[in-house]
């Protein structure tokens, strides 16, 4: 009967643990992934979609982008293209192409408009 999301983080190899569930909505948390470039950029799959934090779990924001509110059961990061791959429960999977601009969100606070760095595109 306890539906709080429990996310814990250790920075001393498991000797102590700190809760990083902060403002996640009530409901199960199924999976978590850490960005391979910025260890403070975290993704968590919950009963109500996917959330991300760019401050090590102090604050969470929901990633929407047209995705329905569904349980995300697994997360994978495709390193070569910086893609976030999400597996849902009963609705297939979703891919966020090149999530690397999320690494720069801290620099945008208080600014009206920001142009994020872009990658060179492929031509076939």
């Amino acid at each position: 009967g306890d539906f709080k999301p429990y996310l814990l983080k250790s920075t001393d190899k498991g000797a102590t643990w700190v809760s990083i569930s902060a403002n996640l909505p009530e409901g199960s948390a199924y999976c978590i992934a850490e960005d391979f470039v910025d260890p403070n950029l975290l993704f968590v799959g919950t009963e109500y979609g996917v959330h991300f934090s760019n401050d090590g779990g102090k604050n969470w924001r929901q990633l929407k982008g047209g995705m329905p509110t569904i349980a995300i059961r697994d997360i994978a990061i495709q390193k070569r293209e910086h893609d976030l791959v999400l597996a849902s429960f009963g609705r297939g999977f979703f891919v966020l192409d090149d999530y690397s601009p999320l690494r720069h969100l801290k620099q945008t606070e208080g600014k009206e408009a920001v142009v994020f760095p872009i990658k060179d595109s492929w031509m076939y």
Side-chain angles (χ1 to χ4, degrees):
D2 183 5
F3 296 105
K4 289 186 230 170
Y6 288 98
L7 288 176
L8 301 169
K9 175 172 107 173
S10 176
T11 56
D12 55 9
K13 300 180 183 177
T16 60
W17 294 87
V18 176
S19 174
I20 59 170
S21 56
N23 62 329
L24 281 173
E26 195 163 295
S28 300
Y30 296 113
C31 53
I32 189 166
E34 178 183 297
D35 181 36
F36 60 96
V37 174
D38 180 4
N40 287 317
L41 180 57
L42 304 172
F43 301 94
V44 63
T46 70
E47 187 70 31
Y48 303 106
V50 64
H51 295 73
F52 78 97
S53 172
N54 59 353
D55 57 9
K58 294 177 187 159
N59 295 298
W60 293 92
R61 299 181 203 177
Q62 186 174 17
L63 279 174
K64 294 181 184 178
M67 191 170 82
T69 303
I70 53 173
I72 299 298
R73 296 292 180 104
D74 199 13
I75 296 175
I77 294 175
Q78 198 276 341
K79 290 183 179 182
R80 188 188 71 198
E81 302 297 331
H82 303 262
D83 292 346
L84 184 69
V85 182
L86 310 169
S88 72
F89 182 72
R91 287 270 187 106
F93 69 94
F94 301 86
V95 178
L96 173 61
D97 291 331
D98 190 16
Y99 70 84
S100 60
L102 294 177
R103 295 180 187 131
H104 305 284
L105 279 182
K106 287 184 218 171
Q107 303 158 2
T108 66
E109 293 177 13
K111 296 182 181 176
E112 188 173 321
V114 174
V115 176
F116 291 108
I118 58 171
K119 295 188 330 184
D120 292 335
S121 62
W122 292 83
M123 187 163 103
Y124 292 98

